[in-house]
Amino acid sequence: MKEHEGTQLTLSQLQVHVQDIRKWEKDEDFLNQLDEFKKMPALYRLALNELQNKIDVIKTEWQIRDGFSPIEHIKSRIKEPKSILQKMARKGYELSFDNMEQYIHDIAGMRIVCAFVKDIYRLVDHLNTREDLRILEIKDYIAHPKPNGYQSLHLIVSIPLILLEGTRWVKVEIQLRTLAMDFWASMEHILYYKFDKQLPSHVAEELREAAQAADELDQRMLRLRNEILQLSEGAGTRIEEHKI
């Protein structure tokens, strides 16, 4: 059997691993933690599925009522185990499932892209009225952009899962952006890693200017939509008057 990265265990190393396994088998707390770690990806995936269903219902209701949905597209992901462990280490938390569940809020993530900023706040207001989820935290980087120009609205929500053991609330991070914000964030991510996380000053400045341009584009498109809606309403009124 091919060993990972071409390494092989020596007999002494193998004996150490066997001793560790025997010790862990006697450690009930470790076994409980191990069981939780095994269930973790499935729990967070179920939470994302539940949230996806709720958002799909909202989209459908808006489509029926208003004739269009302000939600353009949705993307979700589960954080890689390596990234979770690195974040735990960076934050100085002892490795345990309880700490992971309590302090790492973005293990499950969903990105919702809307057409306009107004639609983002409209969706947040609606989520805040629902009884089938809880909003735990809001970080508004639209009203208060990050120094590099990043704009988005982040929510930490808790989703109830009805399990055999009872109801369990699982955290999910939601990022809400406009199409322009999402394009900017994607390009910033590419450049960030292209330059090994150290952007030249002129590139960083260009990104900030691009973020301002994206914000101006959002505002301009919103004004155009409002003008079109007003013209449509005016045309509808004239048609009704003509019928009378």
Side-chain angles (χ1 to χ4, degrees):
M1 183 176 65
K2 186 177 179 181
E3 294 292 332
H4 182 62
E5 296 182 352
T7 60
Q8 293 185 345
L9 291 174
T10 65
L11 180 59
S12 60
Q13 288 174 327
L14 185 58
Q15 289 172 338
V16 169
H17 283 294
V18 171
Q19 290 171 359
D20 286 341
I21 291 171
R22 287 173 179 168
K23 180 180 66 176
W24 292 339
E25 286 175 344
K26 298 176 183 178
D27 188 339
E28 186 175 350
D29 181 62
F30 173 82
L31 291 176
N32 290 336
Q33 290 286 336
L34 185 60
D35 186 54
E36 291 293 335
F37 280 121
K38 288 178 179 178
K39 292 191 296 184
M40 184 188 71
L43 287 174
Y44 283 98
R45 176 54 60 189
L46 286 171
L48 279 175
N49 290 342
E50 285 287 322
L51 180 58
Q52 177 78 52
N53 290 336
K54 298 178 197 304
I55 299 300
D56 286 343
V57 171
I58 294 171
K59 286 178 61 179
T60 301
E61 285 189 312
W62 275 344
Q63 183 72 44
I64 293 171
R65 188 184 67 184
D66 302 337
F68 70 94
S69 171
I71 298 173
E72 293 293 326
H73 58 263
I74 301 168
K75 185 177 181 180
S76 60
R77 63 101 183 100
I78 301 291
K79 204 174 188 69
E80 291 291 332
K82 181 180 178 181
S83 298
I84 298 173
L85 296 176
Q86 289 174 342
K87 192 165 187 177
M88 293 281 289
R90 274 198 319 271
K91 291 180 173 290
Y93 298 127
E94 182 182 351
L95 181 58
S96 72
F97 183 82
D98 289 340
N99 283 345
M100 196 176 297
E101 196 172 33
Q102 182 176 355
Y103 298 115
I104 309 300
H105 299 156
D106 61 345
I107 294 175
M110 176 176 286
R111 183 180 304 155
I112 302 176
V113 177
C114 297
F116 303 99
V117 172
K118 183 178 181 180
D119 298 326
I120 291 175
Y121 289 109
R122 180 185 175 195
L123 179 56
V124 173
D125 287 342
H126 173 74
L127 293 178
N128 202 36
T129 65
R130 296 179 70 103
E131 297 180 355
D132 56 350
L133 62 79
R134 299 169 182 166
I135 295 180
L136 305 178
E137 182 180 322
I138 300 177
K139 290 184 179 179
D140 191 346
Y141 298 116
I142 297 175
H144 307 285
K146 290 186 177 182
N148 67 346
Y150 174 84
Q151 287 186 293
S152 185
L153 195 148
H154 293 194
L155 301 177
I156 304 299
V157 301
S158 192
I159 306 296
L161 297 180
I162 311 301
L163 306 173
L164 294 175
E165 63 194 45
T167 302
R168 184 162 182 170
W169 292 80
V170 179
K171 294 176 185 174
V172 177
E173 181 192 56
I174 305 176
Q175 296 180 355
L176 297 110
R177 303 171 180 170
T178 64
L179 289 161
M181 292 174 191
D182 193 50
F183 175 75
W184 182 93
S186 297
M187 293 301 100
E188 190 270 348
H189 181 77
I190 292 171
L191 292 172
Y192 188 68
Y193 284 94
K194 179 73 173 178
F195 288 98
D196 196 25
K197 303 182 182 182
Q198 295 294 328
L199 291 178
S201 58
H202 72 281
V203 174
E205 181 58 32
E206 288 273 5
L207 274 173
R208 282 190 288 270
E209 292 177 3
Q212 293 175 359
D215 182 51
E216 291 170 1
L217 177 61
D218 276 335
Q219 294 181 36
R220 185 171 185 177
M221 296 306 293
L222 179 60
R223 288 196 297 270
L224 285 171
R225 184 181 76 164
N226 291 338
E227 185 175 344
I228 290 170
L229 289 175
Q230 289 173 2
L231 289 172
S232 298
E233 291 172 359
T237 301
R238 287 194 295 273
I239 291 173
E240 289 299 320
E241 291 175 348
H242 180 71
K243 287 180 179 179
I244 294 172

